[in-house]
């Protein structure tokens, strides 16, 4: 691309994505989010590439549109929907919008922020948990706007139906498969949900994918508390916590890798109603069970921005180790080389 074409594109686009209008060089960030996408691909084999345009013409301003990474991925994966004609209209209308906004002094620079959205989800999880022990794993785009994705696709529908629930030793009544008929559209996007039931001795779950790209996997482990220790504390087995986190993270990262167009997302992991719960490490000492310290917080949370290239097992290890620490124990590595379960212990130096 010639420097002149690049300057014209960025200038006439107003530093905004032509589709969602998000600012592409946010204040406080050294990252440039803007991507110069080809309306007609730069090669005949690319999206919308069948054209008489020469190689030079394909890289000129008239054939370029400025987009955020999400919409760049979206238009290239769905070329039947995002046709050449449609993209040219979007580009023209966007540049007219920029001109009008600048004329009326209406364009302002905003930081990319998903904090309000994730804060609202955390409040919703706490309210939804109804004084029960729930494990929540979620992925949230770094910028929030509606209709980032279409959650009602065959690919996503099939993927949700194929998710496997955690399997817990000694609890044969708990099915590890989802009821596929519970996967339905809702006001946010698509959901598969089953409430916990005392009588039937079931574990509850909720799996949701939002139209803004946020996805979450909730599991109720209220009925996996193993009873009391010699005080007034409830006890959670490390193995149950580990299995739940492993399954939830595998499921939600699989949804991300196969259906969501974001390169970076905010991983949030939470446990609700954890006050006075101790963690049983799975091993015994000379004077009884090895337990962690009971936590005093009503919720436990860990969050981190992650990239699509990071390995699943690395992230599972990171999260589980942190929650083991929250309960006053330590583990050097969650996954043993021989396939066995490494167990937490007290902290040694």
């Amino acid at each position: 691309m010639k420097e002149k074409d690049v300057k014209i594109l960025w200038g006439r686009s107003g530093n905004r994505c032509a589709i969602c209008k998000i600012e592409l060089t946010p204040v406080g960030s050294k990252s440039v989010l803007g991507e110069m996408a080809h309306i007609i691909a730069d090669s005949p084999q690319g999206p919308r590439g069948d054209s008489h345009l020469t190689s030079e013409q394909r890289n000129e301003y008239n054939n370029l549109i400025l987009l955020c990474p999400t919409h760049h991925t979206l238009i290239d994966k769905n070329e039947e929907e995002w046709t050449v004609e449609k993209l040219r209209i979007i580009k023209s209308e966007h540049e007219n919008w920029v001109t009008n906004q600048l004329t009326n002094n209406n364009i302002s620079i905003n930081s990319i922020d998903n904090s309000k959205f994730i804060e609202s989800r955390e409040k919703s999880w706490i309210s939804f948990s109804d004084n029960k022990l729930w494990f929540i794993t979620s992925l949230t785009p770094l910028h929030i706007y509606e209709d980032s994705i279409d959650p009602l696709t065959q690919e996503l529908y099939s993927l949700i139906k194929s998710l496997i629930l955690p399997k817990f030793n000694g609890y044969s009544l708990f099915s590890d498969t989802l009821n596929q008929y519970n996967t339905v559209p809702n006001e946010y996007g698509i959901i598969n949900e089953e409430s916990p039931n005392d009588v039937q001795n079931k574990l509850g779950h909720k799996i949701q994918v939002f139209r803004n790209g946020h996805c979450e996997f909730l599991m109720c482990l209220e009925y996996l508390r193993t009873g009391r220790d010699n005080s007034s504390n409830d006890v959670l087995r490390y193995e149950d916590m580990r299995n739940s986190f492993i399954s939830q993270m595998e499921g939600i990262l699989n949804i991300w890798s196969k259906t969501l167009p974001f390169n970076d997302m905010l991983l949030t992991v939470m446990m609700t109603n954890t006050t006075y719960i101790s963690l049983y490490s799975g091993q015994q000492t000379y004077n009884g069970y090895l337990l962690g310290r009971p936590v005093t917080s009503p919720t436990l949370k860990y969050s981190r921005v992650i990239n699509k290239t990071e390995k699943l097992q690395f992230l599972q290890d990171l999260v589980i180790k942190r929650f083991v620490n929250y309960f006053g124990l330590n583990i050097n590595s969650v996954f043993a080389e021989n396939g066995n379960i490494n167990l937490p212990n007290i902290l040694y130096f």
Side-chain angles (χ1 to χ4, degrees):
M1 299 177 190
K2 295 179 180 178
E3 183 179 0
K4 176 183 176 182
D5 294 301
V6 172
K7 288 181 177 179
I8 293 174
L9 179 65
W10 277 85
R12 292 183 180 175
S13 299
N15 190 34
R16 300 295 176 117
C17 172
I19 296 176
C20 67
K21 304 295 189 284
I22 189 170
E23 194 227 339
L24 299 174
T25 53
V27 172
S29 173
K30 296 181 179 179
S31 301
V32 176
L33 299 179
E35 296 182 357
M36 294 174 287
H38 290 84
I39 296 175
I40 296 171
D42 58 354
S43 70
Q45 293 74 36
R48 302 168 300 275
D50 185 13
S51 171
H52 65 277
L53 291 184
T54 66
S55 177
E56 183 177 358
Q57 289 172 328
R58 291 170 187 261
N59 286 292
E60 291 177 347
Y61 159 76
N62 289 334
N63 190 48
L64 301 174
I65 183 171
L66 190 64
L67 300 174
C68 67
T70 298
H71 280 109
H72 189 180
T73 302
L74 192 64
I75 69 166
D76 285 352
K77 283 189 173 182
N78 302 275
E79 57 181 299
E80 291 183 1
E81 177 184 353
W82 300 91
T83 62
V84 171
E85 293 74 17
K86 181 177 180 178
L87 291 174
R88 283 175 175 164
I89 291 172
I90 288 173
K91 176 182 177 180
S92 176
E93 291 179 345
H94 173 69
E95 292 183 354
N96 288 334
W97 175 84
V98 169
T99 299
N100 291 333
Q101 297 301 307
L102 289 171
T103 300
N104 296 317
N105 198 29
N106 287 333
I107 286 188
S108 59
I109 296 176
N110 298 314
S111 298
I112 292 176
D113 188 12
N114 61 9
S115 59
K116 288 185 179 180
F117 175 82
I118 193 63
E119 182 180 346
S120 71
R121 292 311 303 153
E122 290 175 8
K123 290 180 179 178
S124 175
W125 297 332
I126 293 170
S127 174
F128 171 81
S129 65
D130 190 29
N131 296 316
K132 291 183 174 64
L133 177 63
W134 280 82
F135 285 28
I136 300 106
T137 302
S138 76
L139 291 171
T140 310
L142 301 188
H143 49 276
I144 297 294
Y145 50 88
E146 287 303 314
D147 298 323
S148 296
I149 66 165
D150 177 8
L152 305 182
T153 64
Q154 179 63 46
E155 183 181 19
L156 183 53
Y157 181 74
S158 299
L159 188 57
I160 291 175
K161 289 196 303 180
S162 69
L163 294 182
I164 302 299
L165 298 174
K167 198 66 178 176
F168 303 102
N169 291 333
Y171 297 91
S172 59
L173 295 178
F174 298 157
S175 173
D176 60 352
T177 59
L178 297 178
N179 182 342
Q180 65 179 22
Y181 298 106
N182 289 343
T183 305
V184 296
N186 70 350
E187 66 269 34
Y188 301 114
I190 191 168
I191 187 171
N192 184 295
E193 180 179 17
E194 187 168 352
S195 299
N197 187 306
D198 287 295
V199 177
Q200 297 181 16
N201 199 27
K202 289 183 178 179
L203 297 175
H205 70 266
K206 178 189 281 190
I207 300 166
Q208 285 197 103
V209 181
F210 288 49
R211 293 180 182 87
N212 61 21
H214 169 83
C215 52
E216 54 189 45
F217 190 163
L218 287 69
M219 281 292 304
C220 181
L221 272 68
E222 179 69 18
Y223 307 118
L224 293 185
R225 301 190 193 208
T226 60
R228 306 276 176 173
D229 60 10
N230 55 10
S231 65
S232 60
N233 301 316
D234 285 333
V235 176
L236 174 67
R237 297 193 311 175
Y238 163 72
E239 185 179 356
D240 292 339
M241 182 180 80
R242 174 187 183 271
N243 289 349
S244 187
F245 279 144
I246 285 176
S247 179
Q248 287 175 264
M249 293 185 67
E250 181 177 2
I252 207 166
L253 267 72
N254 195 33
I255 289 175
W256 179 20
S257 67
K258 293 184 177 179
T259 65
L260 302 180
F262 314 103
N263 290 322
D264 299 278
M265 296 189 82
L266 176 68
L267 170 69
T268 303
V269 184
M270 178 183 283
M271 292 173 60
T272 65
N273 302 298
T274 53
T275 308
Y276 303 127
I277 293 181
S278 297
L279 186 68
Y280 168 47
S281 72
Q283 54 188 311
Q284 297 187 27
T285 65
Y286 67 92
N287 61 350
Y289 298 115
L290 178 59
L291 299 173
R293 297 173 59 86
V295 298
T296 58
S297 301
T299 60
L300 300 174
K301 187 182 83 167
Y302 174 70
S303 62
R304 180 178 185 267
V305 174
I306 60 175
N307 186 271
K308 217 167 193 174
T309 61
E310 294 184 84
K311 300 297 184 182
L312 171 63
Q313 186 167 304
F314 165 77
L315 295 171
Q316 291 169 329
D317 191 81
L318 195 69
V319 167
I320 295 169
K321 285 166 66 174
R322 177 61 63 91
F323 276 82
V324 165
N325 294 160
Y326 288 159
F327 285 98
L329 295 173
N330 185 56
I331 188 168
N332 292 325
S333 177
V334 173
F335 300 96
E337 292 184 1
N338 59 7
N340 293 333
I341 298 175
N342 284 333
L343 298 178
N345 213 317
I346 59 176
L347 183 63
Y348 292 109
F349 287 107

